[in-house]
């Protein structure tokens, strides 16, 4: 399966809301994972660690680091698209919104419920599905 770029002009009234809703839900599920305090993905660990050493919010740090990563695209001569920018902005705002709405000091059963809710809304890795992509044979064009 080959992924290709689809221009925004193709079915924008359908695709733009799907993008924004999907990114919002992902940001909210990320806040569930953070509030569960039972482990986060590597980028979120970096963002969360930086929130303890700065006055910036989780979402702000996420957006700033996302913008810095985009600067690394310059030598690669890659141009960000609307989806890339939306990923940075919508994820930052929705993660901060979720963190503002979910209380911090929850008991273990509530934290487990948050983690379970997060895993049901995203793809949590399981032993059978967490093989690194490098273990899969690359597809070759004929």
């Amino acid at each position: 399966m080959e992924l290709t770029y689809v221009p925004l002009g193709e079915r924008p009234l359908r695709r733009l809301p799907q993008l924004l809703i999907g990114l919002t839900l992902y940001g909210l599920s990320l806040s569930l994972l953070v509030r569960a305090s039972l482990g986060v993905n590597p980028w979120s660990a970096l963002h969360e660690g930086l929130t303890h050493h700065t006055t910036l919010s989780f979402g702000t740090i996420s957006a700033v680091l996302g913008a810095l990563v985009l600067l690394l695209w310059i030598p690669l001569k890659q141009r960000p698209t609307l989806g890339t920018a939306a990923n940075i902005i919508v994820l930052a705002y929705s993660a901060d919104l979720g963190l503002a709405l979910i209380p911090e000091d929850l008991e273990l059963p509530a934290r487990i419920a948050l983690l379970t809710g997060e895993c049901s809304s995203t793809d949590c890795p399981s032993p059978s599905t967490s093989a690194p992509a490098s273990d899969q044979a690359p597809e070759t064009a004929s």
Side-chain angles (χ1 to χ4, degrees):
M1 176 182 184
E2 184 176 334
L3 297 176
T4 59
Y5 172 74
V6 179
L8 180 63
E10 190 173 315
R11 298 184 312 248
L13 293 177
R14 176 178 168 230
R15 293 178 56 238
L16 190 59
Q18 286 175 330
L19 172 69
L20 297 176
I21 290 168
L23 289 174
T24 301
L25 291 174
Y26 185 68
L28 293 173
S29 74
L30 183 60
S31 64
L32 292 175
L33 188 62
V34 171
R35 280 293 186 250
S37 298
L38 296 171
V40 293
N41 62 50
W43 279 104
S44 295
L46 174 63
H47 301 155
E48 193 172 13
L50 289 173
T51 62
H52 295 295
H53 296 286
T54 66
T55 58
L56 301 174
S57 70
F58 183 93
T60 302
I61 290 173
S62 170
V64 167
L65 290 179
L68 290 174
V69 168
L70 283 183
L71 290 176
L72 297 174
W73 285 21
I74 294 171
L76 300 174
K77 297 182 179 160
Q78 295 291 315
R79 300 186 80 167
T81 61
L82 176 66
T84 306
N87 188 342
I88 292 171
I89 296 165
V90 174
L91 213 62
Y93 279 113
S94 59
D96 273 349
L97 174 65
L99 290 171
L101 294 175
I102 303 168
E104 285 188 49
D105 299 320
L106 297 170
E107 297 296 322
L108 184 60
R111 292 175 28 221
I112 291 171
L114 287 177
L115 183 63
T116 304
E118 192 279 335
C119 284
S120 66
S121 65
T122 61
D123 266 345
C124 279
S126 66
S128 62
T129 62
S130 61
S134 61
D135 290 348
Q136 300 170 359
E139 292 184 21
T140 57
S142 16

